[in-house]
Amino acid sequence: MSVSGTGPKEHVLVVDDEPQILTAITDLLEDEFQVWTAHDGPSALDILKEHEMAVILSDQRMPGMSGAEFLGQARVLSDATRVLVTGYSDLDALVSAVNLGQIHAYLSKPWNPLELKVVVRTAADRWRLDRTLQQERTLLLALMGNIPDAIFIKDLQLKFSRVNQPQARLLGLSETSDLVGQRLSELLGSEQAKAVEVEEQAILEQGASQLDKVEAVTDESGNAQWFSVSKVPIRLGGEVVGLAGIARDITARKQAEDYLRRAHDELQQAVEERTRWLQQEIGRRAKAEEQAQAAREAAEAASRAKTIFLANMSHELRTPLNAIIGFSELAHSIMGETDVERYGGFLDNISESAHHLLRVISDILDVSRVEVGKVVLRESEVDVAEAVRAAMRLVSHVVSAKRQSLTFTPKGELPRIRADERLMKQIVLNLLSNAAKFTPESGNIRVEACVADGCVTVAVEDDGVGIAAEDIPMVLQPFGQAENAISPKHEGTGLGLPLAKGFMELHGGNLSLESRVGEGTRVVLTFPASCIVA
């Protein structure tokens, strides 16, 4: 299949099993049409299921499915003008196709370019005309079928040629077909009907419209219905060929006018009461908005106070922790071999616990700095693959201890990006640490990187315990951890994902997370196109 041409051209499908014929016809038509080609009937039917065509030009002699058979199936899928290309020996097939309504036109072999162009242009014109007529017919049917007013069209003999259901009911008939071809005087046989036809005859002869004439129709019980009737001549090329009329029931309008007069005072009173109520409601809402604004300001102040407290607390704790770490390392270095064997384990526990607490404090400081906007990116040109591998090396000991597999698959050539290399490594490290923590022994962790839609993406996926959908927003907030029967709460502060998310947003990118309980988690980092180094 091939497509040629650009712009709002009409589509032509050419079907022939000879490639040179397809090429020749495409070259001939592509200046005027957008040309689609297919080498057999089934592939052409597939095209028609997906695309709209104005013209289908098919050869008769094709293996498997003949042109006539194809066009017979094509008319179910498309309203395109169907043209069959036949030779002298295909005369019987041509006659059969015409009789069955499978084709609109045919082209005899051998054809010349000018003849083929004329046939396709004519077929396209027919398609456009059929489309226009169908649209007009659909519009007219919709108009007649949906407007509640009585609508009718009459010919020069004042016979009904088209009516809608309200018009039939107005004349006491259940079916519109009972009116078509009949005159009003033949249906009713009353003097009033004859007087109406005299007026309509004057409209046909004079070509003048009758607009909004109010008429009363009284039923057998003496109840009157009032109608506003408009009738206009229908002209074709300046000549009157019939008339159209519409009768709108205005009985309810007349009754409504009386009702409105009686209800005027009541309505005025209701408006005044409603106005007073609205004034009171506006006052209540203004007060509620003031209270909501005060609550928002209090919440923002509390958030700022929390951030400042965490930052100050973290700074205050770092100094004694560094002292603890330093003195434990000093004590370890000056101990004798016997003391090391006896007390070294305690010192190692002290040092490890202090380092763990220092890392927690560092994460809290990073969260606080992100929240108050004090993180400054130190951008450089970063090799994405190397940054990922560096983070993988840092987590390799954890992965090895749990006998997990950790793989990295860069797809295609990855461009360098402008980013803070330290923060980028920390982002990936946080995701890998989480994956290793929540993936059972002998589990799998996969990292992929590629360029998609102009952006650089890095995805970390595991087959661990997963996160419930309702818990995903929580784990993206500081100190948020999900806990369920499959995954009891793990050690940690719950700052890894929020930090990664905050650092990605500082780069103008985003972090998205998908997870299913018991199946695993997939986290995707997306660096925008503006980060890519040209």
Side-chain angles (χ1 to χ4, degrees), residues 130-159:
D130 286 346
R131 271 294 174 91
T132 301
L133 291 176
Q134 182 60 37
Q135 291 171 356
E136 295 295 333
R137 188 179 298 111
T138 301
L139 181 61
L140 179 59
L141 290 174
L143 180 69
M144 298 285 286
N146 291 287
I147 289 183
D149 300 330
I151 302 175
F152 63 87
I153 298 175
K154 292 185 177 182
D155 59 19
L156 290 175
Q157 286 74 43
L158 296 179
K159 293 180 179 180

Side-chain angles (χ1 to χ4, degrees), residues 74-307:
R75 68 178 178 175
V76 178
L77 300 173
S78 172
D79 64 348
T81 304
R82 301 178 294 278
V83 181
L84 184 64
V85 181
T86 64
Y88 178 76
S89 61
D90 300 320
L91 183 58
D92 291 340
L94 173 63
V95 173
S96 176
V98 171
N99 291 336
L100 293 174
Q102 294 172 331
I103 65 173
H104 299 99
Y106 69 93
L107 183 66
S108 300
K109 290 182 178 179
W111 46 265
N112 61 61
L114 179 59
E115 180 186 11
L116 187 141
K117 268 194 170 184
V118 170
V119 169
V120 174
R121 287 172 183 162
T122 303
D125 291 342
R126 172 176 179 150
W127 177 79
R128 284 194 300 272
L129 179 60
D130 286 346
R131 271 294 174 91
T132 301
L133 291 176
Q134 182 60 37
Q135 291 171 356
E136 295 295 333
R137 188 179 298 111
T138 301
L139 181 61
L140 179 59
L141 290 174
L143 180 69
M144 298 285 286
N146 291 287
I147 289 183
D149 300 330
I151 302 175
F152 63 87
I153 298 175
K154 292 185 177 182
D155 59 19
L156 290 175
Q157 286 74 43
L158 296 179
K159 293 180 179 180
F160 291 103
S161 59
R162 188 178 294 275
V163 297
N164 66 351
Q165 196 65 40
Q167 176 65 36
R169 289 196 299 268
L170 181 60
L171 297 178
L173 299 174
S174 59
E175 299 294 335
T176 59
S177 57
D178 295 337
L179 276 74
V180 176
Q182 301 290 321
R183 291 169 60 99
L184 184 64
S185 57
E186 295 172 347
L187 290 168
L188 300 182
S190 64
E191 292 300 323
Q192 185 180 8
K194 293 178 182 178
V196 169
E197 289 187 344
V198 170
E199 293 179 350
E200 293 176 347
Q201 188 64 43
I203 292 174
L204 294 175
E205 294 173 356
Q206 300 171 12
S209 300
Q210 173 188 291
L211 303 177
D212 294 325
K213 181 182 178 182
V214 178
E215 298 179 358
V217 177
T218 305
D219 60 19
E220 296 177 354
S221 302
N223 298 318
Q225 280 184 287
W226 294 88
F227 292 88
S228 173
V229 182
S230 295
K231 300 175 182 178
V232 296
I234 301 174
R235 290 184 170 84
L236 183 62
E239 182 180 356
V240 176
V241 296
L243 66 84
I246 180 168
R248 175 165 296 173
D249 188 341
I250 60 172
T251 304
R253 188 180 75 187
K254 284 183 169 291
Q255 294 172 347
E257 289 173 354
D258 293 338
Y259 172 78
L260 287 175
R261 283 192 295 269
R262 292 193 305 268
H264 179 270
D265 293 338
E266 296 177 5
L267 179 61
Q268 182 65 32
Q269 181 180 357
V271 169
E272 292 174 356
E273 292 177 356
R274 179 68 174 174
T275 300
R276 286 193 297 272
W277 181 87
L278 285 175
Q279 290 172 344
Q280 295 171 357
E281 182 66 16
I282 290 172
R284 287 193 294 269
R285 293 190 179 185
K287 184 177 181 180
E289 179 62 27
E290 291 176 0
Q291 294 173 345
Q293 180 63 28
R296 284 195 296 270
E297 292 175 355
E300 291 172 358
S303 178
R304 287 193 298 270
K306 176 212 67 174
T307 300

Side-chain angles (χ1 to χ4, degrees), residues 19-35:
Q20 61 271 24
I21 297 297
L22 295 178
T23 301
I25 296 178
T26 298
D27 293 342
L28 182 65
L29 298 178
E30 64 182 354
D31 289 341
E32 297 182 43
F33 302 95
Q34 183 165 349
V35 182

Side-chain angles (χ1 to χ4, degrees), residues 225-379:
Q225 280 184 287
W226 294 88
F227 292 88
S228 173
V229 182
S230 295
K231 300 175 182 178
V232 296
I234 301 174
R235 290 184 170 84
L236 183 62
E239 182 180 356
V240 176
V241 296
L243 66 84
I246 180 168
R248 175 165 296 173
D249 188 341
I250 60 172
T251 304
R253 188 180 75 187
K254 284 183 169 291
Q255 294 172 347
E257 289 173 354
D258 293 338
Y259 172 78
L260 287 175
R261 283 192 295 269
R262 292 193 305 268
H264 179 270
D265 293 338
E266 296 177 5
L267 179 61
Q268 182 65 32
Q269 181 180 357
V271 169
E272 292 174 356
E273 292 177 356
R274 179 68 174 174
T275 300
R276 286 193 297 272
W277 181 87
L278 285 175
Q279 290 172 344
Q280 295 171 357
E281 182 66 16
I282 290 172
R284 287 193 294 269
R285 293 190 179 185
K287 184 177 181 180
E289 179 62 27
E290 291 176 0
Q291 294 173 345
Q293 180 63 28
R296 284 195 296 270
E297 292 175 355
E300 291 172 358
S303 178
R304 287 193 298 270
K306 176 212 67 174
T307 300
I308 295 171
F309 168 75
L310 289 176
N312 291 337
M313 180 195 70
S314 301
H315 279 295
E316 293 297 327
L317 289 175
R318 287 171 68 91
T319 299
L321 278 175
N322 284 326
I324 291 172
I325 292 171
F327 282 118
S328 65
E329 292 175 351
L330 176 61
H332 196 288
S333 65
I334 65 177
M335 278 183 177
E337 185 174 339
T338 303
D339 290 335
V340 168
E341 291 179 358
R342 187 173 182 181
Y343 303 110
F346 299 131
L347 291 177
D348 290 340
N349 288 338
I350 292 172
S351 180
E352 183 179 351
S353 299
H355 277 291
H356 173 73
L357 186 56
L358 190 60
R359 286 193 298 272
V360 171
I361 292 171
S362 296
D363 285 346
I364 294 174
L365 271 175
D366 284 338
V367 169
S368 302
R369 289 166 60 213
V370 169
E371 289 184 347
V372 299
K374 290 188 177 181
V375 176
V376 178
L377 295 181
R378 293 176 173 82
E379 293 184 330

